Amino acid sequence: MTVTLHVCITCRAGQTLGEGEVAPGKRLHGAILEAGVPEGVTVVPVECLSACSQGCSVALSAPGRWSYVYGRLSDANAHDVVAGAAAYAAAPDGLVPWRSRPEIFRKQSLARIPPIAVLPEAAE
């Protein structure tokens, strides 16, 4: 099963960008790719995670698992984001033991979303 790591590439982290400047979110995305994406994790750039007041943000999700949104990140956190994504990918339900999470995933969680229940289709 593939885990998706969404990275907000439009995030400006509260900065006013000059002409030609790369958004901090796009820098974070590039740093994550450079750090090496773990097996079973797909990195998907997105235009907004609606966590604008929380700096750069990422979200981890997979079918049948808890999803998480993390914020207050920068490109300096790329290795920790990759480590957290690898731990999430290894957890069958998405619940990584608290002490096994990188510090930024313990302290900078913005949301934890339960798995979406699959409902049986209505009979016709």
Side-chain angles (χ1 to χ4, degrees), residues 8 10 33 41 45 57-58 65 87-89 93 98 104 109:
C8 178
T10 56
L33 295 177
V41 176
S57 57
V58 301
R65 296 181 187 207
Y88 179 84
D93 55 5
W98 193 81
I104 62 168
S109 177

Side-chain angles (χ1 to χ4, degrees), residues 42-107:
T42 300
V43 177
V44 177
V46 295
E47 293 205 3
C48 187
L49 289 172
S50 289
C52 304
S53 65
Q54 297 295 321
C56 295
S57 57
V58 301
L60 279 167
S61 63
R65 296 181 187 207
W66 284 81
S67 297
Y68 294 87
V69 180
Y70 299 99
R72 301 182 299 281
L73 301 171
S74 74
D75 52 333
N77 301 121
H79 287 283
D80 286 335
V81 170
V82 167
Y88 179 84
D93 55 5
L95 296 173
V96 178
W98 193 81
R99 293 195 184 278
S100 299
R101 300 175 194 168
E103 185 174 353
I104 62 168
F105 279 19
R106 292 191 305 248
K107 295 186 175 185

